[in-house]
């Protein structure tokens, strides 16, 4: 389909690497520099230019032409206008093409926030940040990163967060069902445990995919990490930075790796922390995507299990003077899992505690090195509540035990209800304070699920569950229904819109059942917890042909700084090692015997090296290592 003459003339302009404009060639092929600037392939760029320059305007309306012109302007001259939005932050929107290959689809608007540099006279530029997810609200974590990246970074950089498409901004990845539509029966769970729940879970996935395929939001096929990387480069140009400075943690490391692959010459300084193996995320190795889901390939389940087992070892090594539960905590954990593997435990208030509840809560706590010591007495207390070795009596006041606020000592009777409340409070504390919430620590069931197997115990944000139109968040588009109309199910597809579009996965949903048998033995509890978050990806309707899946080996203009943590429960150290091997122009900082997710605020050594790199672009001469500021367990007297 072609354009009117004015629109075609505007379309016959391409963007150079420096952000300037050049005329398109008669053949419609873009110059190499133009293709590099946009992160597009030769074929993709040729498709864009030829489709918008060839022929006449048959079948097109002025509205169509306006949409195309808007997309071309957004690419040629990206602009933001800042307003104050509280707490020292500034907010703006950025117009970007919906599809970088096809400007005829128009634009979407993204949300951006920034915290201006403390010392404007010494300002280096913008430091783009991403908290992970996928689906983390990057505009809302700017203040956190400004605090934890340190005073020198705050002085010299505007700290910036670009809201990922589909997650924040104009177009949200919300799939609306039909009013009154019945959802598949699903017992509420964080991950399925039994054959019955496997069947329920896969039926739920089918309904989820069907709804998104039938009433697909226009953003859903344009949510790959490559799209977000291209958005970030437009934001870089809009803010006047010649090259990018970036810090990304968790999934934010994959965004950083993708940006580095698409724009290898645009790197001023790029830090990835809590690193995902980018090849495992995208395709796996040697065709393993045909049988192994992405959430098995990433080995997060091995990282979580290793982190907890290593924490037990540290507790035991320190003895009761450092960890009061040193003699019992490992057996207590095993007893909890053994008891709950037989079925849920009555909480005494009409609710039940499930195996997956405990796994989800423990996983959340493992994200914070400072809070892991408080997990030990809570495990002991929970064991006495659900699998007592002695008749129940008031719990002793163990040093370091947590109250319902996550602090202080526990002195109440060790009933299941009280013990779970304390564990839940500690998990909620970590969720509030950590920029990267555990995406797997909540139920995938509908809000009105049949609650036969227990309450929702975890603290994280619901990422893939459908909500009714009446209970959807204020940021979501409201369903327009006449009074009395039955509610329509709404699936929030932000997490899967990215994960499933980015990654290659088995096409047979039953592959997750087969994988469940593997991972549950490799990492009891944590294996299924991570695995099942990707099961809806089998036959996902929102696959994006523009998704970037490698290679991740392109030499960068400045070495990328990789930070890996030995006992990371979400992005195991193996991910950092794998990316270091892929990208020769990189350096690896290893946080030796470090705990928690990522390495922000836990090692002065890491902080110093990261700051020198971001501010002065001083790169370690070779791979190096640091230690945490203090061991996991410190003296209690």
């Amino acid at each position: 389909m072609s354009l009117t003459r004015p629109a075609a003339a505007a379309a016959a302009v391409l963007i150079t690497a420096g952000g300037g404009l050049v005329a398109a060639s008669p053949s419609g092929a873009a110059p190499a520099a133009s293709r590099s600037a946009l992160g597009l392939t030769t074929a993709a760029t040729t498709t864009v230019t030829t489709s918008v320059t060839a022929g006449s305007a048959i079948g097109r309306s002025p509205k169509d032409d306006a949409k195309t012109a808007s997309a071309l302007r957004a690419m040629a001259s990206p602009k933001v206008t800042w307003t104050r939005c509280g707490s020292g932050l500034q907010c703006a929107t950025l117009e970007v093409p919906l599809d970088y290959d096809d400007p005829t689809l128009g634009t979407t608007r993204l949300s951006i926030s920034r915290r201006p540099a403390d010392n404007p006279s010494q300002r280096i530029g913008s430091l783009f940040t991403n908290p992970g997810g996928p689906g983390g609200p990057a505009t809302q974590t700017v203040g956190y990163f400004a605090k934890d990246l340190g005073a020198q970074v705050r002085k010299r950089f505007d700290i910036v967060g670009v809201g990922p498409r589909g997650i924040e901004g104009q177009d949200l990845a919300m799939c609306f069902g039909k009013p009154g539509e019945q959802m598949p029966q699903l017992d509420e769970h964080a991950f399925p445990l039994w054959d019955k729940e496997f069947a329920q879970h896969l039926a739920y996935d089918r309904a989820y995919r069907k709804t998104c395929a039938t009433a697909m939001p226009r953003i859903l096929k344009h949510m790959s990490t490559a799209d977000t990387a291209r958005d970030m480069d437009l934001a870089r140009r809009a803010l006047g930075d010649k090259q990018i400075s970036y810090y990304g943690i968790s999934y934010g490391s994959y965004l950083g790796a993708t940006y580095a692959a698409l724009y290898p010459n645009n790197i001023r300084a790029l830090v990835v922390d809590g690193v995902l193996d980018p090849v495992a995320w995208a395709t796996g190795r040697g065709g393993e995507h045909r049988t192994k889901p992405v959430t098995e390939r990433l080995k997060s389940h091995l990282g979580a299990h290793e982190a907890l087992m290593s924490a037990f070892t540290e507790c035991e090594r320190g003895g009761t003077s450092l960890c009061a539960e040193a003699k019992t905590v490992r057996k207590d954990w095993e007893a909890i899992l053994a008891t709950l593997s037989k079925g849920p435990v009555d909480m005494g208030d009409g609710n039940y505690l499930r195996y997956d509840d405990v796994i989800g809560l423990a996983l959340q706590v493992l994200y914070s090195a400072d809070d892991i010591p408080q997990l030990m007495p809570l495990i002991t207390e929970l064991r006495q509540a659900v699998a007592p070795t002695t008749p129940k009596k008031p719990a002793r006041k163990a040093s370091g035990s947590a109250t319902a606020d996550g602090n202080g000592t526990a002195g109440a009777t060790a009933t299941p209800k009280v013990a779970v409340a304390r564990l839940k409070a500690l998990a909620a504390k970590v969720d509030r304070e950590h920029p990267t919430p555990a995406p797997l620590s909540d139920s995938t069931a509908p809000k009105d699920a049949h609650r036969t197997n227990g309450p929702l115990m975890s603290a994280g944000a619901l990422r893939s569950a459908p909500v009714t139109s009446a209970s959807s968040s204020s940021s979501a588009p409201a369903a327009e229904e006449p009074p009395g109309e039955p509610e329509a199910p709404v699936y929030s597809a932000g997490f899967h819109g990215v994960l499933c579009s980015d990654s290659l996965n088995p096409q047979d949903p039953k592959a997750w059942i087969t994988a469940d048998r593997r991972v549950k033995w490799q990492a009891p509890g944590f294996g299924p917890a991570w695995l099942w978050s990707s099961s809806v990806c089998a036959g996902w309707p929102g696959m994006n042909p523009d998704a970037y899946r490698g290679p991740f080996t392109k030499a960068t203009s400045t070495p990328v700084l990789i930070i890996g943590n030995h006992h990371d429960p979400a992005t195991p150290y193996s991910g950092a090692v794998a990316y270091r091997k892929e990208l020769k122009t990189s350096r690896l900082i290893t946080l030796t015997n470090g705990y928690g997710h990522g390495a922000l605020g836990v090692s002065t050594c890491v902080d110093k090296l990261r700051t020198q790199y971001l501010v002065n672009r001083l790169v370690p001469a070779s791979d190096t290592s640091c230690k945490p500021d203090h061991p996991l367990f410190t003296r209690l007297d």
Side-chain angles (χ1 to χ4, degrees), residues 150-281:
Q152 287 301 313
V153 172
R154 288 196 302 273
K155 284 182 181 180
R156 306 297 300 277
F157 290 97
D158 297 339
I159 311 298
V160 175
V162 179
R165 50 173 60 204
I167 311 301
E168 300 182 272
Q170 175 187 3
D171 286 287
L172 301 179
M174 306 289 284
C175 301
F176 286 75
K178 297 179 180 178
E181 184 177 11
Q182 294 296 311
M183 301 307 303
Q185 182 63 55
L186 182 67
D187 293 338
E188 194 166 20
H189 58 252
F191 54 87
L193 299 174
W194 332 108
D195 289 346
K196 173 190 173 185
E197 290 181 353
F198 293 160
Q200 289 180 345
H201 198 95
L202 295 181
Y204 170 84
D205 286 345
R206 288 194 296 272
Y208 181 1
R209 286 192 299 266
K210 181 180 178 182
T211 300
C212 286
T214 303
M216 183 178 293
R218 69 172 193 149
I219 198 68
L220 198 63
K221 286 191 174 182
H222 308 283
M223 286 182 63
S224 75
T225 299
D227 290 312
T228 299
R230 294 171 185 131
D231 293 341
M232 193 162 66
D233 198 63
L234 277 193
R236 171 193 66 79
R237 291 173 47 215
L239 298 182
D241 293 334
K242 293 182 178 180
Q243 293 180 305
I244 202 164
S245 298
Y246 176 81
Y247 173 86
I249 187 171
S250 195
Y251 160 78
S253 71
Y254 186 72
L255 174 58
T258 302
Y259 185 93
L262 291 176
Y263 304 97
N265 296 320
N266 286 4
I267 309 300
R268 179 195 167 275
L270 192 147
V271 181
V272 288
D273 186 1
V275 181
L276 291 163
D277 176 350
V279 177
W281 178 276

Side-chain angles (χ1 to χ4, degrees), residues 413-479:
T413 302
T415 65
K417 181 178 179 180
V418 170
V420 169
R422 290 188 179 122
L423 181 55
K424 186 178 179 182
L426 182 60
K429 171 181 177 289
V430 174
D431 185 60
R432 290 192 305 269
E433 296 176 356
H434 203 280
T436 312
L440 313 177
S441 62
D442 220 327
S443 171
T444 57
K447 290 284 187 179
D448 56 352
H450 185 47
R451 299 170 69 92
T452 58
N453 283 331
L456 181 62
M457 289 294 168
S458 51
L462 203 61
R463 296 197 178 268
S464 63
V467 294
T468 62
S469 56
S471 61
S472 58
S473 67
S474 59
S475 62

Side-chain angles (χ1 to χ4, degrees), residues 324-325 377 380 395-402 408-411 636:
E325 296 73 31
T380 294
R396 62 187 177 85
K397 293 184 178 181
S399 298
S401 296
T409 58
L636 300 174

Side-chain angles (χ1 to χ4, degrees), residues 68-104:
T68 302
S70 294
L72 292 166
R73 282 195 301 270
M75 287 190 282
S77 303
K79 296 178 181 179
V80 296
T81 301
W82 297 103
T83 60
R84 292 185 179 87
C85 52
S87 303
L89 298 181
Q90 299 173 351
C91 296
T93 59
L94 175 68
E95 191 171 21
V96 300
L98 183 66
D99 186 329
Y100 282 84
D101 280 0
D102 186 359
T104 65

Side-chain angles (χ1 to χ4, degrees), residues 336-407:
I336 292 169
L337 297 192
T339 298
L340 293 176
S341 67
K342 299 173 185 177
V345 170
D346 192 339
M347 297 274 287
D349 60 357
N351 291 312
Y352 293 82
L353 175 68
R354 285 173 47 107
Y355 182 97
D356 51 310
D357 293 325
V358 173
I359 294 295
L361 291 168
L363 175 60
Q364 183 73 70
V365 178
L366 289 172
Y367 271 48
S368 170
D370 287 341
D371 292 289
I372 290 173
Q374 295 188 78
L375 180 61
M376 305 296 116
L378 294 183
I379 288 173
T380 294
E381 184 176 19
L382 184 61
R383 189 264 169 87
Q384 288 301 322
V386 303
T389 55
T390 57
K392 292 184 179 180
K393 58 183 179 180
R396 62 187 177 85
K397 293 184 178 181
S399 298
S401 296
T403 65
D405 295 326
N407 300 295

Side-chain angles (χ1 to χ4, degrees), residues 511-597:
W512 274 259
I513 298 177
T514 302
D516 185 89
R517 300 189 184 105
R518 292 193 296 265
V519 300
K520 69 172 45 173
W521 296 113
Q522 296 168 351
F526 296 110
W530 284 104
L531 173 72
W532 283 96
S533 66
S534 66
S535 58
V536 76
C537 292
W540 180 249
M543 296 299 287
N544 185 345
D546 290 339
Y548 184 82
R549 300 194 178 98
F552 298 93
T553 56
K554 298 176 185 177
T556 52
S557 51
T558 299
V560 168
L561 192 65
I562 300 170
I563 302 174
N565 184 349
H566 264 169
H567 306 298
D568 194 307
T571 52
Y573 180 64
S574 59
V577 173
Y579 187 37
R580 176 67 180 93
K581 290 179 179 178
E582 289 288 319
L583 186 61
K584 303 305 181 184
T585 52
S586 65
R587 298 289 188 276
L588 172 62
I589 299 175
T590 299
L591 182 58
T592 303
N593 208 32
Y595 287 83
H597 185 29

